[in-house]
């Protein structure tokens, strides 16, 4: 069967899933090439597969140190995988087709819509073009602002490379670094410029492209923004505020460090302090922020800020007997149901994966394993340091969790739908709740 015929029979969700899988497998092979590795380094395939998955799923968890393992070419490949994963396979594919002058058919438009989690299919081509232009502009600006920091410590060519890689990794919420020694941004924990530039890039990538485009279109007027934009911005601000306060309360870190981790925990994965030194209370705060994650149609993961907002609104509505509404708009009736399903699937996946990892690696503590699995699922990339110690079975488990987390649990669940659903209606029964 020709490839085009095979793809035409697939649902958009399956095409997206296969696209990510293809990029991961291709990336793992490219990372194993001798020209991708530093002299004298041999990279086992499982480690290459883990690194490629972490890059394409914009996670940042590492079983090896990218800075000391990969050559400049290998680091370039890693950066490309991060960029593809952040923008989405569908967006990259459409961008290539547009550059070649090919037309985008209806099926391909549906794939873009589903990949970007958009409600409408109107103006998709303009939307994709705007994504590429905006991403290029933001990442170049981020690299320009980061350059003075790296230029203090590295020669000009290396400083340019580090600035570009860091900007791409930050905007795509991946948490990778190629500084070497596996220290992430700990050497720069007191550098205000790099910390703030990184935070701005992470937040910009995490609020989602629809919000980025709408803000200037509505002249940054709060009252003129859509309900979605106001929910995303208000929830993001609340999480950043409470995350900073709680982390400062529980950990002996600076206000800058607390704010940085409040931002980074929401799927970015950069570290300015060693997480293994954090208290259990501090790790609980970080875990909560990781689990919620970024916003829809963004470069981040997690259950999403809008899902969290709708859950809270639904609980408040049930407790007070008020209708579900926000910012003078009624919340769609099926939103709470969808949010509940996504959240329960996420909890089930994290708990099941943690259980299995504790069986595979019984020497690890529950605290560290649970944190690791939340990080993998939310594509955050933060770790207490156990990632290089994982057994082969646990690494494969972590790969699966990162893959599911990037696609989204509801998308993965819907991959198995073969029918349009039941048409039989059953009489309504009674069941006691609570």
């Amino acid at each position: 069967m020709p490839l085009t015929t095979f793809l035409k029979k697939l649902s958009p969700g399956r095409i997206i899933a296969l696209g990510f899988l293809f990029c991961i497998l291709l990336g793992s092979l490219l990372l194993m090439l001798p020209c991708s590795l530093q002299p004298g380094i041999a990279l086992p395939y499982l480690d290459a597969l883990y690194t490629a998955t972490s890059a394409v799923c914009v996670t940042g968890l590492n079983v090896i140190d990218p800075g000391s393992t990969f050559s400049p070419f290998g680091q370039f490949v890693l950066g490309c995988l991060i960029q593809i994963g952040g923008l989405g396979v569908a967006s990259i594919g459409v961008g290539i087709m547009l550059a070649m002058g090919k037309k985008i058919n209806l099926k391909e438009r549906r794939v873009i819509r589903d990949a970007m989690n958009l409600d409408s299919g109107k103006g998709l081509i303009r939307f994709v073009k705007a994504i590429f232009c905006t991403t290029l502009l933001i990442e170049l600006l981020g690299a320009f602002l980061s350059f003075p920091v790296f230029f203090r410590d590295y020669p000009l060519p290396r400083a340019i490379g580090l600035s570009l890689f860091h900007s791409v990794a930050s905007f795509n919420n991946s948490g990778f670094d190629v500084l070497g020694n596996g220290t992430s941004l700990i050497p720069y924990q007191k550098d205000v410029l790099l910390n703030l530039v990184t935070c701005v890039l992470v937040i910009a990538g995490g609020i989602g492209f629809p919000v980025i485009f709408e803000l200037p279109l509505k002249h940054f007027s709060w009252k003129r923004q859509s309900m979605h934009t106001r929910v995303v911005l208000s929830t993001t601000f609340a999480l950043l505020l409470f995350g900073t306060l709680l982390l400062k309360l529980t950990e002996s870190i600076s206000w800058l460090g607390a704010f940085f981790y409040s931002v980074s925990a929401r799927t970015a994965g950069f570290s300015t302090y060693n997480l293994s030194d954090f208290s259990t209370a501090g790790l609980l705060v970080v875990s909560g922020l990781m689990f919620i994650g970024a916003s829809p149609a963004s470069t981040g993961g997690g259950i999403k800020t809008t899902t969290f907002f709708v859950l809270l609104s639904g609980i408040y509505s049930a407790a007070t007997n008020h209708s579900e509404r926000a910012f003078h708009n009624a919340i769609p009736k099926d939103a709470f149901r969808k949010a509940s399903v996504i959240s329960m699937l996420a909890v089930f996946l994290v708990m099941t994966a943690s259980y299995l990892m504790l069986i595979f690696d019984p020497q690890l503590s529950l605290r560290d394993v649970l944190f690791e699995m939340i990080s993998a699922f939310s594509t955050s990339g933060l770790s207490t340091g156990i990632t290089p110690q994982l057994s082969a079975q646990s690494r494969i488990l972590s790969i699966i969790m990162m893959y599911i987390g990037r696609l989204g649990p509801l998308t993965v669940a819907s991959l198995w739908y073969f029918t349009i659903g039941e048409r039989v209606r059953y009489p309504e029964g009674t069941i006691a709740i609570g």
Side-chain angles (χ1 to χ4, degrees), residues 47-70:
D47 291 353
L49 180 64
Y50 191 99
T51 305
T53 305
S54 185
V56 174
C57 296
V58 289
T59 305
L61 288 173
N62 282 301
V63 290
I64 49 93
D65 175 33
S68 57
T69 301
F70 297 115

Side-chain angles (χ1 to χ4, degrees), residues 314-325:
I315 293 170
Y316 175 79
S317 174
T320 60
N321 200 28
H322 287 132
S323 60
E324 295 178 45
R325 59 183 184 273

Side-chain angles (χ1 to χ4, degrees), residues 190-229:
K190 295 181 181 179
D191 193 298
V192 177
L193 177 60
L194 187 62
N195 275 251
L196 293 182
V197 168
T198 304
C199 287
V200 171
L201 288 170
V202 170
I203 293 171
I207 60 176
F209 289 105
V211 176
I212 294 175
F213 298 151
E214 186 178 328
L215 282 172
L217 190 64
K218 300 293 181 62
H219 304 290
F220 297 94
S221 172
W222 179 255
K223 292 183 179 180
R224 298 179 64 183
Q225 303 299 324
S226 66
M227 177 184 175
H228 171 81
T229 295

